[in-house]
Amino acid sequence: MNQMASHPISLDWIERLVSIDTVSRNSNLGLIELVRDELAKLGVQSVLTHHSTGRWANLFATIPSVTGQTTGGVVLSGHTDVVPVDGQDWATDPFKPVIIDGKMYGRGTCDMKGFIGASLALVPQMQAAQLQKPIHLALSFDEEVTCLGAPIMIEELMRRGVNPDGCIVGEPTGMRPIVAHKGINAYECCVHGHAAHSSLTPHGLNAIEYAARLICYIRDMADEFKQQGPFDQLYDVPFTTAQASTIVGGNAMNTVPALCKFQFEFRNLPTMNPKPIFERIQRYANEVLLPQMQKEHASGAIDFTLISDAPGLDASEQAAITQLVRALTGDDEKRKVAYGTEAGQFQEAGIPSVICGPGDIMQAHKANEFVTLEQIGQCEAFIKKVIRSLEQ
């Protein structure tokens, strides 16, 4: 890639990261091992924590203070997985990043390999600085699907007593601080009926019909949240939402379906406990629908499986990390977003967190995803300010 001298120094790193296909269903080990090896060349050791299958891994690395301190300090956090490109109409190869008119195109340029690349490119400056507290790099897997990676990494670093003072999650925010986001709770529901010939429907138990009743109940709850709240007008969608997102069932037109599976999610305001929301859905299934089903056939059953339950974020304005990011960006506006991040997981572990990274969330997950070079430059300038703040 040809670069002008004025281009951000992290472009080579971002290009290397984007060129590795880390769609969530694929292993991310190629990227993680590349980062591990490059950091090792600089004398920075990494701790890898793996998924139980061994196909994915997190990476946590520490640039210590001048006194060798490795506890406390600030975490720069980013996820390494990206969403699929299947069915999207890309003008360029999504895994061969290109720069056109001041924008770098490629899957993950915005969400969120731009931030990771900028962080890695500045490691030598972190090492050269007179850091009074350490800087940590946290790269996770599986944020886009079930948020399974970060908790494994967080548990390990807490076990080692790293106890960071704060975390900056570099999701695309236009380099503006985000202090809150909703929680994400996703489930799969399996409704078990009993097959029969469609001419003998009273002898069967229609799993699709009872799944539909439960789906309609979830929609009724969503309408209730929309109408009655609670509300927080700082969100673009200022109330808790719920929806059924996928469904499959039945095997033939002339057969009473014996099984229907559907997935649903709800995104709760962080001030709203998600547990009672699910319990309400479960109670309707077990106390209203299930007795009706078992009157028709004793084999009727409804099962729920948790897919993910990433907590929301509600950062304290008094937290040192919030005040630091506000001071370094010069931005005091309070912003909250409906999408989820790993910041809530860090906060739940007792690590105050704020979201601030390059790019626009409107470009994420789309064909022709891009981040502007201007945003990458602003990100590098911001990280340099973080470095200088830790020298004091």
Side-chain angles (χ1 to χ4, degrees):
M1 179 180 297
N2 294 323
Q3 296 183 30
M4 297 170 56
S6 59
H7 277 191
I9 65 172
S10 56
L11 293 186
D12 284 340
W13 252 121
I14 299 171
E15 179 184 19
R16 295 170 78 183
L17 297 173
V18 174
S19 297
I20 302 174
D21 179 353
T22 54
V23 168
S24 298
R25 61 177 177 250
N26 301 331
S27 172
N28 74 333
L29 292 182
L31 184 151
I32 290 295
E33 291 170 356
L34 167 67
V35 174
R36 177 199 63 193
D37 294 346
E38 292 299 316
L39 289 176
K41 292 177 184 178
L42 297 173
V44 178
Q45 299 305 308
S46 303
V47 175
L48 271 56
T49 50
H50 291 79
H51 183 266
S52 59
T53 64
R55 294 190 64 220
W56 298 273
N58 303 301
L59 179 147
F60 192 87
T62 298
I63 294 85
S65 72
V66 290
T67 62
Q69 177 183 343
T70 57
T71 60
V74 173
V75 178
L76 302 178
S77 172
H79 63 79
T80 60
D81 60 321
V82 298
V83 297
V85 299
D86 308 47
Q88 294 184 338
D89 185 16
W90 282 74
T92 61
D93 187 328
F95 298 107
K96 292 182 179 179
V98 295
I99 295 175
I100 303 173
D101 295 331
K103 301 173 182 176
M104 178 181 275
Y105 290 86
R107 175 55 86 223
T109 50
C110 173
D111 185 18
M112 55 182 298
K113 292 179 177 179
F115 179 80
I116 295 174
S119 300
L120 292 170
L122 291 171
V123 167
Q125 294 191 31
M126 298 175 194
Q127 293 178 299
Q130 297 295 302
L131 294 178
Q132 301 304 303
K133 290 187 176 182
I135 297 177
H136 312 279
L137 304 177
L139 308 188
S140 65
F141 68 87
D142 191 55
E143 188 272 350
E144 295 287 7
V145 181
T146 58
C147 291
L148 287 177
I152 299 171
M153 175 171 55
I154 293 169
E155 180 181 359
E156 192 279 333
L157 68 93
M158 299 305 285
R159 181 186 60 78
R160 289 193 290 123
V162 177
N163 299 324
D165 298 321
C167 176
I168 301 170
V169 177
E171 292 277 3
T173 69
M175 292 310 303
R176 299 173 299 179
I178 299 293
V179 296
H181 67 66
K182 293 181 179 179
I184 303 175
N185 309 268
Y187 293 84
E188 181 174 80
C189 178
C190 294
V191 180
H192 302 271
H194 185 75
H197 194 283
S198 61
S199 65
L200 302 171
T201 55
H203 295 283
L205 174 59
N206 193 309
I208 290 178
E209 292 176 354
Y210 277 98
R213 294 184 185 185
L214 185 52
I215 290 170
C216 288
Y217 182 77
I218 293 170
R219 173 55 191 258
D220 289 342
M221 290 179 62
D223 291 341
E224 177 187 314
F225 296 142
K226 182 178 181 180
Q227 295 163 8
Q228 301 179 19
F231 300 102
D232 186 334
Q233 298 299 334
L234 290 178
Y235 288 91
D236 49 0
V237 180
F239 47 84
T240 294
T241 59
Q243 70 150 4
S245 50
T246 68
I247 186 168
V248 60
N251 61 358
M253 176 72 76
N254 60 353
T255 302
V256 175
L259 179 66
C260 183
K261 295 182 180 181
F262 69 94
Q263 294 179 336
F264 66 94
E265 66 157 25
F266 57 90
R267 296 183 178 235
N268 61 292
L269 297 175
T271 53
M272 194 173 185
N273 186 350
K275 185 177 179 181
I277 299 175
F278 173 68
E279 289 177 344
R280 183 175 165 187
I281 296 169
Q282 192 176 42
R283 187 163 56 249
Y284 178 78
N286 293 336
E287 297 180 7
V288 177
L289 295 183
L290 194 57
Q292 297 175 15
M293 293 172 63
Q294 293 180 342
K295 281 183 180 179
E296 295 185 34
H297 199 281
S299 65
I302 303 176
D303 301 324
F304 294 95
T305 302
L306 176 66
I307 299 174
S308 65
D309 59 346
L313 170 71
D314 192 10
S316 168
E317 288 294 331
Q318 285 68 50
I321 193 68
T322 307
Q323 295 181 7
L324 174 65
V325 173
R326 290 206 180 285
L328 298 184
T329 59
D331 191 325
D332 291 328
E333 184 175 340
K334 185 173 287 188
R335 298 182 183 85
K336 303 180 180 183
V337 294
Y339 61 82
T341 77
E342 294 169 332
Q345 294 172 315
F346 280 96
Q347 178 182 263
E348 190 174 59
I351 305 170
S353 301
V354 176
I355 310 163
C356 187
D360 187 335
I361 194 64
M362 294 299 293
Q363 302 303 325
H365 298 194
K366 293 182 178 180
N368 303 316
E369 176 183 348
F370 69 84
V371 66
T372 67
L373 302 191
E374 179 183 10
Q375 280 283 297
I376 293 299
Q378 290 181 21
C379 181
E380 291 180 4
F382 170 75
I383 296 173
K384 290 176 183 178
K385 291 178 180 179
V386 172
I387 297 170
R388 288 195 293 271
S389 74
L390 295 175
E391 289 185 300
Q392 302 170 3

